[in-house]
Amino acid sequence: MTTRNLTRFWEWGRKIICVGRNYADHAKELKNAIPTEPVLFLKTSSAYLREGSPIIVPAYSNNLHHEVEFGVVIGKAGTAIPQESAMDHVAGYVLCLDMTARDIQDECKSKGLPWTLAKAFNTSCPVSEFIPKDKIPDPGNINLWLKVNDQMRQNGNTSQMIFSIPYLINYISDFISLEEGDLILTGTPKGVSRVQEHDEIEAGIEGIISMSFKVERS
Amino acid sequence: MTTRNLTRFWEWGRKIICVGRNYADHAKELKNAIPTEPVLFLKTSSAYLREGSPIIVPAYSNNLHHEVEFGVVIGKAGTAIPQESAMDHVAGYVLCLDMTARDIQDECKSKGLPWTLAKAFNTSCPVSEFIPKDKIPDPGNINLWLKVNDQMRQNGNTSQMIFSIPYLINYISDFISLEEGDLILTGTPKGVSRVQEHDEIEAGIEGIISMSFKVERS
Ligand SMILES: [Mg+2]
Ligand SMILES: [Mg+2]
Ligand SMILES: [Mg+2]
């Protein structure tokens, strides 16, 4: 596997681990408690989507939400990685959307069911170009934004995260070993809202990158 | 990627999709309703475990359960695969354990949280050797068994599954595309119970394969 290209991690990376409720203002807007430990859920690799292809509203949902998130791409495998050396395992970053069928998620939560249908469907993880680590010297202080049809909906800073990137890498790798090509989605700031067929989502990391996706129905 | 060897799918396969409550007698023993559609959850590739290495009880659990399951290995990619041609996408089978931190799962269910900690930890997916498709002409009628320290705990037949393998492949691939090397765990019959440090789990598909794993604490 010596030919794997980290800048195209979505073609071969095996894990997408997502953190929920990692910004206090977003936890509050969904009427969730502020977590005392990270809330983790999973997407699968078929959720990856690249610019040029549309986000598809799943047939079973009538309330698809956008969540703009800062993504961390793992470059070096590890288990029980200490916080102190966690950043040595990071190869770079990526801007992500954690597309969420909010109606289905609410139903799963109330029934005690797993979130798979709400979070892991095809096209639920649009990603930007890979951003090498040295382009973002301080990942704990970057501005993320998201617009729908040119209207600003989300605008936050990673300094508002409850659990930092090193904390998350340590917490996750204690029970899920990390591998090269794995992706961690670090949570979304407030402002999540519904998107519908024909909407255009544009999102960015201020001064670094932007991307846009059309929304279609299946 | 032409060198990928399906008989070692656990080394490179990207998805593990699991079906919960697919045997009525098991749904009942956990006091769950009989599902009207499949309950799906995910493990990650770091959950894979092969004979010779121990199952590790996660540090945060005091009630690790065994669940013996019939696994389906995908050999041909597809989206929205019709039931009629679903079996053309199957390369073979594998005997699996869906190791479950039942105490954590109960907590997640009551709090409406995802099942990640309960289901996706390292060593939570022990698998047997790969079984080529032609070795099991009728996957809808095979006997699965599991013993702990030589005592029979689970003994069921895949004919008791609520949702058949073709049904599951169609249902899943409608919203999660399947790829070569993906694994589907099809649920467990009744008899799940706790295992502890030093226990030995032995499991088999009658007349086809068996495997055994020691349990250790982290
Ligand atoms: Mg999110
Ligand atoms: Mg269908
Ligand atoms: Mg199971």
Side-chain angles (χ1 to χ4, degrees), chain B residues 21-54:
Chain B
R21 307 177 193 173
N22 200 25
Y23 288 74
D25 55 1
H26 168 65
K28 281 180 206 156
E29 77 179 340
L30 293 185
K31 300 184 173 36
N32 288 311
I34 307 301
T36 53
E37 64 177 312
V39 172
L40 299 184
F41 60 90
L42 304 171
K43 291 181 187 275
T44 69
S45 53
S46 45
Y48 279 128
L49 185 74
R50 298 279 302 137
E51 258 188 307
S53 296

PDB file of all heavy atoms in Angstrom, chain B residues 21-54:
ATOM      1  N   ARG B  21     -31.211  -6.926  16.298  1.00  0.00           N
ATOM      2  CA  ARG B  21     -32.584  -7.461  16.478  1.00  0.00           C
ATOM      3  C   ARG B  21     -33.123  -8.185  15.256  1.00  0.00           C
ATOM      4  O   ARG B  21     -34.289  -8.006  14.887  1.00  0.00           O
ATOM      5  CB  ARG B  21     -33.544  -6.304  16.823  1.00  0.00           C
ATOM      6  CG  ARG B  21     -33.055  -5.494  17.993  1.00  0.00           C
ATOM      7  CD  ARG B  21     -33.958  -4.317  18.299  1.00  0.00           C
ATOM      8  NE  ARG B  21     -33.253  -3.430  19.222  1.00  0.00           N
ATOM      9  CZ  ARG B  21     -33.686  -2.237  19.610  1.00  0.00           C
ATOM     10  NH1 ARG B  21     -34.839  -1.783  19.155  1.00  0.00           N
ATOM     11  NH2 ARG B  21     -32.984  -1.506  20.440  1.00  0.00           N
ATOM     12  N   ASN B  22     -32.279  -8.999  14.609  1.00  0.00           N
ATOM     13  CA  ASN B  22     -32.740  -9.675  13.403  1.00  0.00           C
ATOM     14  C   ASN B  22     -33.235 -11.096  13.669  1.00  0.00           C
ATOM     15  O   ASN B  22     -33.594 -11.809  12.745  1.00  0.00           O
ATOM     16  CB  ASN B  22     -31.648  -9.669  12.331  1.00  0.00           C
ATOM     17  CG  ASN B  22     -32.195  -9.916  10.937  1.00  0.00           C
ATOM     18  OD1 ASN B  22     -33.371  -9.646  10.684  1.00  0.00           O
ATOM     19  ND2 ASN B  22     -31.372 -10.439  10.058  1.00  0.00           N
ATOM     20  N   TYR B  23     -33.198 -11.499  14.937  1.00  0.00           N
ATOM     21  CA  TYR B  23     -33.792 -12.782  15.330  1.00  0.00           C
ATOM     22  C   TYR B  23     -34.829 -12.439  16.407  1.00  0.00           C
ATOM     23  O   TYR B  23     -34.492 -11.803  17.418  1.00  0.00           O
ATOM     24  CB  TYR B  23     -32.743 -13.716  15.928  1.00  0.00           C
ATOM     25  CG  TYR B  23     -31.746 -14.291  14.940  1.00  0.00           C
ATOM     26  CD1 TYR B  23     -30.724 -13.513  14.397  1.00  0.00           C
ATOM     27  CD2 TYR B  23     -31.809 -15.636  14.556  1.00  0.00           C
ATOM     28  CE1 TYR B  23     -29.798 -14.045  13.501  1.00  0.00           C
ATOM     29  CE2 TYR B  23     -30.886 -16.179  13.660  1.00  0.00           C
ATOM     30  CZ  TYR B  23     -29.885 -15.376  13.140  1.00  0.00           C
ATOM     31  OH  TYR B  23     -28.965 -15.914  12.258  1.00  0.00           O
ATOM     32  N   ALA B  24     -36.054 -12.849  16.205  1.00  0.00           N
ATOM     33  CA  ALA B  24     -37.132 -12.456  17.121  1.00  0.00           C
ATOM     34  C   ALA B  24     -36.852 -12.896  18.556  1.00  0.00           C
ATOM     35  O   ALA B  24     -37.090 -12.143  19.503  1.00  0.00           O
ATOM     36  CB  ALA B  24     -38.461 -13.038  16.639  1.00  0.00           C
ATOM     37  N   ASP B  25     -36.277 -14.108  18.719  1.00  0.00           N
ATOM     38  CA  ASP B  25     -36.067 -14.597  20.089  1.00  0.00           C
ATOM     39  C   ASP B  25     -35.012 -13.771  20.829  1.00  0.00           C
ATOM     40  O   ASP B  25     -35.068 -13.606  22.041  1.00  0.00           O
ATOM     41  CB  ASP B  25     -35.742 -16.099  20.106  1.00  0.00           C
ATOM     42  CG  ASP B  25     -34.551 -16.476  19.227  1.00  0.00           C
ATOM     43  OD1 ASP B  25     -33.939 -15.572  18.601  1.00  0.00           O
ATOM     44  OD2 ASP B  25     -34.229 -17.678  19.163  1.00  0.00           O
ATOM     45  N   HIS B  26     -34.051 -13.211  20.072  1.00  0.00           N
ATOM     46  CA  HIS B  26     -33.041 -12.341  20.712  1.00  0.00           C
ATOM     47  C   HIS B  26     -33.631 -10.956  21.017  1.00  0.00           C
ATOM     48  O   HIS B  26     -33.372 -10.376  22.082  1.00  0.00           O
ATOM     49  CB  HIS B  26     -31.793 -12.208  19.840  1.00  0.00           C
ATOM     50  CG  HIS B  26     -30.866 -11.117  20.295  1.00  0.00           C
ATOM     51  ND1 HIS B  26     -30.208 -11.168  21.512  1.00  0.00           N
ATOM     52  CD2 HIS B  26     -30.504  -9.926  19.736  1.00  0.00           C
ATOM     53  CE1 HIS B  26     -29.466 -10.061  21.657  1.00  0.00           C
ATOM     54  NE2 HIS B  26     -29.638  -9.296  20.596  1.00  0.00           N
ATOM     55  N   ALA B  27     -34.419 -10.412  20.096  1.00  0.00           N
ATOM     56  CA  ALA B  27     -35.072  -9.117  20.367  1.00  0.00           C
ATOM     57  C   ALA B  27     -35.862  -9.216  21.669  1.00  0.00           C
ATOM     58  O   ALA B  27     -35.782  -8.344  22.539  1.00  0.00           O
ATOM     59  CB  ALA B  27     -35.977  -8.715  19.198  1.00  0.00           C
ATOM     60  N   LYS B  28     -36.589 -10.347  21.808  1.00  0.00           N
ATOM     61  CA  LYS B  28     -37.405 -10.543  23.011  1.00  0.00           C
ATOM     62  C   LYS B  28     -36.563 -10.655  24.275  1.00  0.00           C
ATOM     63  O   LYS B  28     -36.910 -10.101  25.307  1.00  0.00           O
ATOM     64  CB  LYS B  28     -38.259 -11.810  22.859  1.00  0.00           C
ATOM     65  CG  LYS B  28     -39.494 -11.601  22.006  1.00  0.00           C
ATOM     66  CD  LYS B  28     -40.299 -12.914  21.899  1.00  0.00           C
ATOM     67  CE  LYS B  28     -41.129 -12.947  20.629  1.00  0.00           C
ATOM     68  NZ  LYS B  28     -41.457 -14.320  20.203  1.00  0.00           N
ATOM     69  N   GLU B  29     -35.424 -11.379  24.213  1.00  0.00           N
ATOM     70  CA  GLU B  29     -34.643 -11.563  25.448  1.00  0.00           C
ATOM     71  C   GLU B  29     -34.085 -10.239  25.954  1.00  0.00           C
ATOM     72  O   GLU B  29     -33.837 -10.083  27.143  1.00  0.00           O
ATOM     73  CB  GLU B  29     -33.536 -12.625  25.281  1.00  0.00           C
ATOM     74  CG  GLU B  29     -32.309 -12.160  24.511  1.00  0.00           C
ATOM     75  CD  GLU B  29     -31.225 -13.229  24.394  1.00  0.00           C
ATOM     76  OE1 GLU B  29     -31.196 -14.199  25.174  1.00  0.00           O
ATOM     77  OE2 GLU B  29     -30.370 -13.081  23.477  1.00  0.00           O
ATOM     78  N   LEU B  30     -33.876  -9.261  25.050  1.00  0.00           N
ATOM     79  CA  LEU B  30     -33.424  -7.933  25.481  1.00  0.00           C
ATOM     80  C   LEU B  30     -34.609  -6.975  25.649  1.00  0.00           C
ATOM     81  O   LEU B  30     -34.419  -5.774  25.815  1.00  0.00           O
ATOM     82  CB  LEU B  30     -32.404  -7.359  24.492  1.00  0.00           C
ATOM     83  CG  LEU B  30     -31.056  -8.065  24.394  1.00  0.00           C
ATOM     84  CD1 LEU B  30     -30.130  -7.298  23.452  1.00  0.00           C
ATOM     85  CD2 LEU B  30     -30.380  -8.233  25.753  1.00  0.00           C
ATOM     86  N   LYS B  31     -35.827  -7.515  25.605  1.00  0.00           N
ATOM     87  CA  LYS B  31     -37.050  -6.714  25.807  1.00  0.00           C
ATOM     88  C   LYS B  31     -37.191  -5.602  24.772  1.00  0.00           C
ATOM     89  O   LYS B  31     -37.643  -4.504  25.080  1.00  0.00           O
ATOM     90  CB  LYS B  31     -37.100  -6.160  27.240  1.00  0.00           C
ATOM     91  CG  LYS B  31     -37.107  -7.279  28.289  1.00  0.00           C
ATOM     92  CD  LYS B  31     -37.244  -6.745  29.696  1.00  0.00           C
ATOM     93  CE  LYS B  31     -37.431  -7.840  30.749  1.00  0.00           C
ATOM     94  NZ  LYS B  31     -36.677  -9.102  30.516  1.00  0.00           N
ATOM     95  N   ASN B  32     -36.745  -5.882  23.543  1.00  0.00           N
ATOM     96  CA  ASN B  32     -36.930  -4.942  22.446  1.00  0.00           C
ATOM     97  C   ASN B  32     -38.111  -5.391  21.588  1.00  0.00           C
ATOM     98  O   ASN B  32     -38.411  -6.580  21.501  1.00  0.00           O
ATOM     99  CB  ASN B  32     -35.679  -4.892  21.563  1.00  0.00           C
ATOM    100  CG  ASN B  32     -34.517  -4.186  22.257  1.00  0.00           C
ATOM    101  OD1 ASN B  32     -34.682  -3.102  22.791  1.00  0.00           O
ATOM    102  ND2 ASN B  32     -33.356  -4.812  22.258  1.00  0.00           N
ATOM    103  N   ALA B  33     -38.758  -4.431  20.944  1.00  0.00           N
ATOM    104  CA  ALA B  33     -39.837  -4.758  20.007  1.00  0.00           C
ATOM    105  C   ALA B  33     -39.264  -5.478  18.790  1.00  0.00           C
ATOM    106  O   ALA B  33     -38.092  -5.303  18.440  1.00  0.00           O
ATOM    107  CB  ALA B  33     -40.548  -3.475  19.572  1.00  0.00           C
ATOM    108  N   ILE B  34     -40.079  -6.308  18.139  1.00  0.00           N
ATOM    109  CA  ILE B  34     -39.672  -6.934  16.879  1.00  0.00           C
ATOM    110  C   ILE B  34     -39.638  -5.816  15.830  1.00  0.00           C
ATOM    111  O   ILE B  34     -40.634  -5.119  15.645  1.00  0.00           O
ATOM    112  CB  ILE B  34     -40.703  -8.012  16.441  1.00  0.00           C
ATOM    113  CG1 ILE B  34     -40.954  -9.015  17.568  1.00  0.00           C
ATOM    114  CG2 ILE B  34     -40.232  -8.714  15.162  1.00  0.00           C
ATOM    115  CD1 ILE B  34     -39.752  -9.767  18.051  1.00  0.00           C
ATOM    116  N   PRO B  35     -38.503  -5.608  15.173  1.00  0.00           N
ATOM    117  CA  PRO B  35     -38.425  -4.469  14.260  1.00  0.00           C
ATOM    118  C   PRO B  35     -39.245  -4.660  12.988  1.00  0.00           C
ATOM    119  O   PRO B  35     -39.410  -5.766  12.490  1.00  0.00           O
ATOM    120  CB  PRO B  35     -36.933  -4.389  13.927  1.00  0.00           C
ATOM    121  CG  PRO B  35     -36.380  -5.745  14.208  1.00  0.00           C
ATOM    122  CD  PRO B  35     -37.239  -6.359  15.279  1.00  0.00           C
ATOM    123  N   THR B  36     -39.760  -3.543  12.483  1.00  0.00           N
ATOM    124  CA  THR B  36     -40.480  -3.574  11.203  1.00  0.00           C
ATOM    125  C   THR B  36     -39.559  -3.173  10.054  1.00  0.00           C
ATOM    126  O   THR B  36     -39.883  -3.360   8.890  1.00  0.00           O
ATOM    127  CB  THR B  36     -41.691  -2.619  11.242  1.00  0.00           C
ATOM    128  OG1 THR B  36     -41.236  -1.327  11.646  1.00  0.00           O
ATOM    129  CG2 THR B  36     -42.723  -3.101  12.238  1.00  0.00           C
ATOM    130  N   GLU B  37     -38.410  -2.582  10.397  1.00  0.00           N
ATOM    131  CA  GLU B  37     -37.353  -2.431   9.396  1.00  0.00           C
ATOM    132  C   GLU B  37     -36.015  -2.701  10.091  1.00  0.00           C
ATOM    133  O   GLU B  37     -35.930  -2.630  11.323  1.00  0.00           O
ATOM    134  CB  GLU B  37     -37.378  -1.051   8.724  1.00  0.00           C
ATOM    135  CG  GLU B  37     -37.113   0.106   9.634  1.00  0.00           C
ATOM    136  CD  GLU B  37     -37.093   1.439   8.862  1.00  0.00           C
ATOM    137  OE1 GLU B  37     -36.433   1.525   7.811  1.00  0.00           O
ATOM    138  OE2 GLU B  37     -37.744   2.376   9.321  1.00  0.00           O
ATOM    139  N   PRO B  38     -34.973  -3.047   9.324  1.00  0.00           N
ATOM    140  CA  PRO B  38     -33.707  -3.415   9.964  1.00  0.00           C
ATOM    141  C   PRO B  38     -33.157  -2.269  10.827  1.00  0.00           C
ATOM    142  O   PRO B  38     -33.256  -1.100  10.464  1.00  0.00           O
ATOM    143  CB  PRO B  38     -32.781  -3.683   8.767  1.00  0.00           C
ATOM    144  CG  PRO B  38     -33.692  -4.078   7.654  1.00  0.00           C
ATOM    145  CD  PRO B  38     -34.931  -3.243   7.865  1.00  0.00           C
ATOM    146  N   VAL B  39     -32.584  -2.635  11.971  1.00  0.00           N
ATOM    147  CA  VAL B  39     -31.860  -1.694  12.832  1.00  0.00           C
ATOM    148  C   VAL B  39     -30.390  -1.809  12.448  1.00  0.00           C
ATOM    149  O   VAL B  39     -29.798  -2.885  12.578  1.00  0.00           O
ATOM    150  CB  VAL B  39     -32.039  -2.070  14.317  1.00  0.00           C
ATOM    151  CG1 VAL B  39     -31.138  -1.224  15.203  1.00  0.00           C
ATOM    152  CG2 VAL B  39     -33.502  -1.941  14.733  1.00  0.00           C
ATOM    153  N   LEU B  40     -29.801  -0.720  11.947  1.00  0.00           N
ATOM    154  CA  LEU B  40     -28.416  -0.769  11.462  1.00  0.00           C
ATOM    155  C   LEU B  40     -27.482   0.045  12.349  1.00  0.00           C
ATOM    156  O   LEU B  40     -27.814   1.156  12.738  1.00  0.00           O
ATOM    157  CB  LEU B  40     -28.320  -0.200  10.050  1.00  0.00           C
ATOM    158  CG  LEU B  40     -29.116  -0.881   8.952  1.00  0.00           C
ATOM    159  CD1 LEU B  40     -28.802  -0.203   7.619  1.00  0.00           C
ATOM    160  CD2 LEU B  40     -28.804  -2.367   8.875  1.00  0.00           C
ATOM    161  N   PHE B  41     -26.322  -0.520  12.634  1.00  0.00           N
ATOM    162  CA  PHE B  41     -25.275   0.260  13.291  1.00  0.00           C
ATOM    163  C   PHE B  41     -23.946  -0.114  12.660  1.00  0.00           C
ATOM    164  O   PHE B  41     -23.866  -1.042  11.846  1.00  0.00           O
ATOM    165  CB  PHE B  41     -25.295   0.062  14.819  1.00  0.00           C
ATOM    166  CG  PHE B  41     -25.081  -1.352  15.265  1.00  0.00           C
ATOM    167  CD1 PHE B  41     -23.810  -1.834  15.524  1.00  0.00           C
ATOM    168  CD2 PHE B  41     -26.169  -2.212  15.407  1.00  0.00           C
ATOM    169  CE1 PHE B  41     -23.618  -3.150  15.938  1.00  0.00           C
ATOM    170  CE2 PHE B  41     -25.986  -3.539  15.812  1.00  0.00           C
ATOM    171  CZ  PHE B  41     -24.702  -3.997  16.082  1.00  0.00           C
ATOM    172  N   LEU B  42     -22.904   0.645  13.020  1.00  0.00           N
ATOM    173  CA  LEU B  42     -21.609   0.507  12.352  1.00  0.00           C
ATOM    174  C   LEU B  42     -20.501   0.132  13.334  1.00  0.00           C
ATOM    175  O   LEU B  42     -20.529   0.552  14.492  1.00  0.00           O
ATOM    176  CB  LEU B  42     -21.233   1.838  11.681  1.00  0.00           C
ATOM    177  CG  LEU B  42     -22.252   2.407  10.689  1.00  0.00           C
ATOM    178  CD1 LEU B  42     -21.863   3.826  10.272  1.00  0.00           C
ATOM    179  CD2 LEU B  42     -22.365   1.513   9.456  1.00  0.00           C
ATOM    180  N   LYS B  43     -19.558  -0.640  12.872  1.00  0.00           N
ATOM    181  CA  LYS B  43     -18.266  -0.805  13.538  1.00  0.00           C
ATOM    182  C   LYS B  43     -17.218  -0.206  12.611  1.00  0.00           C
ATOM    183  O   LYS B  43     -17.525   0.098  11.453  1.00  0.00           O
ATOM    184  CB  LYS B  43     -17.962  -2.288  13.785  1.00  0.00           C
ATOM    185  CG  LYS B  43     -18.855  -2.960  14.818  1.00  0.00           C
ATOM    186  CD  LYS B  43     -18.457  -4.424  14.995  1.00  0.00           C
ATOM    187  CE  LYS B  43     -19.418  -5.188  15.888  1.00  0.00           C
ATOM    188  NZ  LYS B  43     -19.131  -5.067  17.327  1.00  0.00           N
ATOM    189  N   THR B  44     -15.984  -0.049  13.103  1.00  0.00           N
ATOM    190  CA  THR B  44     -14.915   0.413  12.215  1.00  0.00           C
ATOM    191  C   THR B  44     -13.925  -0.726  12.020  1.00  0.00           C
ATOM    192  O   THR B  44     -13.926  -1.708  12.777  1.00  0.00           O
ATOM    193  CB  THR B  44     -14.165   1.628  12.789  1.00  0.00           C
ATOM    194  OG1 THR B  44     -13.431   1.204  13.923  1.00  0.00           O
ATOM    195  CG2 THR B  44     -15.118   2.746  13.165  1.00  0.00           C
ATOM    196  N   SER B  45     -13.071  -0.565  11.030  1.00  0.00           N
ATOM    197  CA  SER B  45     -12.127  -1.623  10.663  1.00  0.00           C
ATOM    198  C   SER B  45     -11.167  -1.986  11.802  1.00  0.00           C
ATOM    199  O   SER B  45     -10.660  -3.107  11.841  1.00  0.00           O
ATOM    200  CB  SER B  45     -11.333  -1.193   9.433  1.00  0.00           C
ATOM    201  OG  SER B  45     -10.753   0.085   9.661  1.00  0.00           O
ATOM    202  N   SER B  46     -10.944  -1.075  12.737  1.00  0.00           N
ATOM    203  CA  SER B  46     -10.044  -1.417  13.859  1.00  0.00           C
ATOM    204  C   SER B  46     -10.717  -2.369  14.842  1.00  0.00           C
ATOM    205  O   SER B  46     -10.068  -2.854  15.774  1.00  0.00           O
ATOM    206  CB  SER B  46      -9.552  -0.153  14.562  1.00  0.00           C
ATOM    207  OG  SER B  46     -10.617   0.739  14.763  1.00  0.00           O
ATOM    208  N   ALA B  47     -11.972  -2.675  14.633  1.00  0.00           N
ATOM    209  CA  ALA B  47     -12.666  -3.664  15.460  1.00  0.00           C
ATOM    210  C   ALA B  47     -12.308  -5.100  15.064  1.00  0.00           C
ATOM    211  O   ALA B  47     -12.505  -6.031  15.839  1.00  0.00           O
ATOM    212  CB  ALA B  47     -14.175  -3.475  15.341  1.00  0.00           C
ATOM    213  N   TYR B  48     -11.770  -5.279  13.872  1.00  0.00           N
ATOM    214  CA  TYR B  48     -11.444  -6.639  13.399  1.00  0.00           C
ATOM    215  C   TYR B  48     -10.429  -7.316  14.310  1.00  0.00           C
ATOM    216  O   TYR B  48      -9.475  -6.687  14.768  1.00  0.00           O
ATOM    217  CB  TYR B  48     -10.870  -6.595  11.984  1.00  0.00           C
ATOM    218  CG  TYR B  48     -11.922  -6.494  10.894  1.00  0.00           C
ATOM    219  CD1 TYR B  48     -11.839  -5.507   9.913  1.00  0.00           C
ATOM    220  CD2 TYR B  48     -12.978  -7.392  10.840  1.00  0.00           C
ATOM    221  CE1 TYR B  48     -12.789  -5.416   8.898  1.00  0.00           C
ATOM    222  CE2 TYR B  48     -13.930  -7.302   9.827  1.00  0.00           C
ATOM    223  CZ  TYR B  48     -13.837  -6.325   8.866  1.00  0.00           C
ATOM    224  OH  TYR B  48     -14.781  -6.250   7.879  1.00  0.00           O
ATOM    225  N   LEU B  49     -10.656  -8.614  14.547  1.00  0.00           N
ATOM    226  CA  LEU B  49      -9.736  -9.409  15.368  1.00  0.00           C
ATOM    227  C   LEU B  49      -9.644 -10.795  14.752  1.00  0.00           C
ATOM    228  O   LEU B  49     -10.650 -11.335  14.296  1.00  0.00           O
ATOM    229  CB  LEU B  49     -10.277  -9.510  16.801  1.00  0.00           C
ATOM    230  CG  LEU B  49      -9.367 -10.205  17.817  1.00  0.00           C
ATOM    231  CD1 LEU B  49      -8.199  -9.293  18.180  1.00  0.00           C
ATOM    232  CD2 LEU B  49     -10.155 -10.580  19.071  1.00  0.00           C
ATOM    233  N   ARG B  50      -8.438 -11.329  14.759  1.00  0.00           N
ATOM    234  CA  ARG B  50      -8.229 -12.660  14.182  1.00  0.00           C
ATOM    235  C   ARG B  50      -7.802 -13.626  15.275  1.00  0.00           C
ATOM    236  O   ARG B  50      -7.223 -13.229  16.282  1.00  0.00           O
ATOM    237  CB  ARG B  50      -7.144 -12.563  13.096  1.00  0.00           C
ATOM    238  CG  ARG B  50      -7.547 -11.636  11.953  1.00  0.00           C
ATOM    239  CD  ARG B  50      -8.443 -12.305  10.957  1.00  0.00           C
ATOM    240  NE  ARG B  50      -7.759 -13.467  10.433  1.00  0.00           N
ATOM    241  CZ  ARG B  50      -8.342 -14.663  10.236  1.00  0.00           C
ATOM    242  NH1 ARG B  50      -9.611 -14.842  10.491  1.00  0.00           N
ATOM    243  NH2 ARG B  50      -7.634 -15.665   9.761  1.00  0.00           N
ATOM    244  N   GLU B  51      -8.086 -14.922  15.067  1.00  0.00           N
ATOM    245  CA  GLU B  51      -7.707 -15.955  16.032  1.00  0.00           C
ATOM    246  C   GLU B  51      -6.232 -15.834  16.397  1.00  0.00           C
ATOM    247  O   GLU B  51      -5.395 -15.576  15.530  1.00  0.00           O
ATOM    248  CB  GLU B  51      -7.974 -17.343  15.438  1.00  0.00           C
ATOM    249  CG  GLU B  51      -9.246 -17.977  15.982  1.00  0.00           C
ATOM    250  CD  GLU B  51      -9.402 -19.427  15.542  1.00  0.00           C
ATOM    251  OE1 GLU B  51      -9.320 -19.657  14.311  1.00  0.00           O
ATOM    252  OE2 GLU B  51      -9.601 -20.301  16.404  1.00  0.00           O
ATOM    253  N   GLY B  52      -5.957 -16.027  17.680  1.00  0.00           N
ATOM    254  CA  GLY B  52      -4.586 -15.898  18.148  1.00  0.00           C
ATOM    255  C   GLY B  52      -4.408 -14.645  18.990  1.00  0.00           C
ATOM    256  O   GLY B  52      -3.486 -14.559  19.800  1.00  0.00           O
ATOM    257  N   SER B  53      -5.291 -13.667  18.791  1.00  0.00           N
ATOM    258  CA  SER B  53      -5.268 -12.440  19.598  1.00  0.00           C
ATOM    259  C   SER B  53      -6.512 -12.421  20.481  1.00  0.00           C
ATOM    260  O   SER B  53      -7.561 -12.931  20.081  1.00  0.00           O
ATOM    261  CB  SER B  53      -5.251 -11.202  18.703  1.00  0.00           C
ATOM    262  OG  SER B  53      -4.066 -11.176  17.939  1.00  0.00           O
ATOM    263  N   PRO B  54      -6.402 -11.837  21.678  1.00  0.00           N
ATOM    264  CA  PRO B  54      -7.537 -11.873  22.605  1.00  0.00           C
ATOM    265  C   PRO B  54      -8.560 -10.764  22.366  1.00  0.00           C
ATOM    266  O   PRO B  54      -8.220  -9.673  21.903  1.00  0.00           O
ATOM    267  CB  PRO B  54      -6.874 -11.670  23.967  1.00  0.00           C
ATOM    268  CG  PRO B  54      -5.684 -10.819  23.661  1.00  0.00           C
ATOM    269  CD  PRO B  54      -5.211 -11.231  22.279  1.00  0.00           C
TER     270      PRO B  54
END
